[in-house]
Amino acid sequence: MPDATPRDSVDGIVDAWERERPDLDFAPLKVLSRVWRLSRHLERTRRTAFATSELESWEFDVLSALRRAGEPHQLSPKALLEQTLVSSGTMTNRIDRMSRRGLVERRTDPHDGRGILVSMTDEGRDRVDTAITALVTAEGELLSRLSTSDQERIAALLRKLSVDFD
């Protein structure tokens, strides 16, 4: 019985490679090429969602880390770079730029007078709240063709694959 699932562009790519290089196993492309292509679509969807709040994706990353930290919505630069997977130089640059835009403020750490904390401003909080609302709505639409159980199964499989990278 033939598979009723429609073919996508990855099927054509894999078919062509299997024809040209029958000596190789192209099973990894069947999974990871789809993940890569989906990531490109997701990147566009996220950019559009963040644009509703006039945020760049990297600004959203920093603000969402601060928002998830809970009251008083502040973290050390080191904690921010660990959560956003960037270098300390990159994080310093991001904090500077976001501070100039009024999204975050630097404050002296009350527990360590030499340290600083990055705090989210009310403006930053409003923007990240608007952005996350737009994001979950848009991503929900992307996944709407899948049942809840399919979504949970995919999430579990992706977690299994990504756990070693965290």
Side-chain angles (χ1 to χ4, degrees):
M1 174 181 247
D3 186 2
T5 305
R7 291 175 54 83
D8 65 7
S9 59
V10 173
D11 290 318
I13 291 167
V14 170
D15 289 349
W17 273 118
E18 287 175 337
R19 181 188 70 242
E20 295 300 316
R21 292 293 310 269
D23 57 312
L24 295 176
D25 177 9
F26 291 97
L29 291 184
K30 292 177 183 179
V31 175
L32 297 178
S33 289
R34 286 185 174 93
V35 169
W36 182 81
R37 286 171 176 266
L38 287 169
S39 76
R40 301 290 297 233
H41 290 291
L42 181 57
E43 184 180 322
R44 277 184 262 170
T45 298
R46 286 182 166 217
R47 236 180 297 140
T48 300
F50 302 152
T52 64
S53 300
E54 298 178 13
L55 292 175
E56 298 293 330
S57 62
W58 60 268
E59 291 173 316
F60 175 81
D61 287 345
V62 173
L63 290 172
S64 62
L66 292 168
R67 184 69 163 107
R68 292 189 313 266
E71 285 291 341
H73 304 294
Q74 62 186 17
L75 293 168
S76 69
K78 182 179 180 185
L80 282 170
L81 68 92
E82 289 171 353
Q83 288 194 36
T84 58
L85 303 175
V86 299
S87 69
S88 61
T90 298
M91 183 52 64
T92 298
N93 185 352
R94 289 180 177 186
I95 293 167
D96 289 345
R97 291 172 66 187
M98 293 177 72
S99 180
R100 285 192 298 270
R101 289 193 60 203
L103 302 174
V104 299
E105 298 172 334
R106 283 185 173 89
R107 297 190 175 156
T108 303
D109 186 338
H111 304 294
D112 175 6
R114 296 169 296 162
I116 67 159
L117 294 171
V118 179
S119 299
M120 182 169 45
T121 64
D122 290 342
E123 175 73 16
R125 185 167 143 172
D126 290 345
R127 287 187 191 213
V128 76
D129 283 353
T130 299
I132 193 63
T133 300
L135 179 63
V136 296
T137 300
E139 288 185 354
E141 289 172 14
L142 286 175
L143 293 172
S144 65
R145 288 179 242 158
L146 300 175
S147 68
T148 300
S149 63
D150 282 347
Q151 291 178 41
E152 290 170 357
R153 228 177 16 246
I154 289 170
L157 290 169
L158 290 172
R159 181 183 306 108
K160 189 175 183 178
L161 183 62
S162 68
V163 74
D164 290 336
F165 293 110
D166 289 341

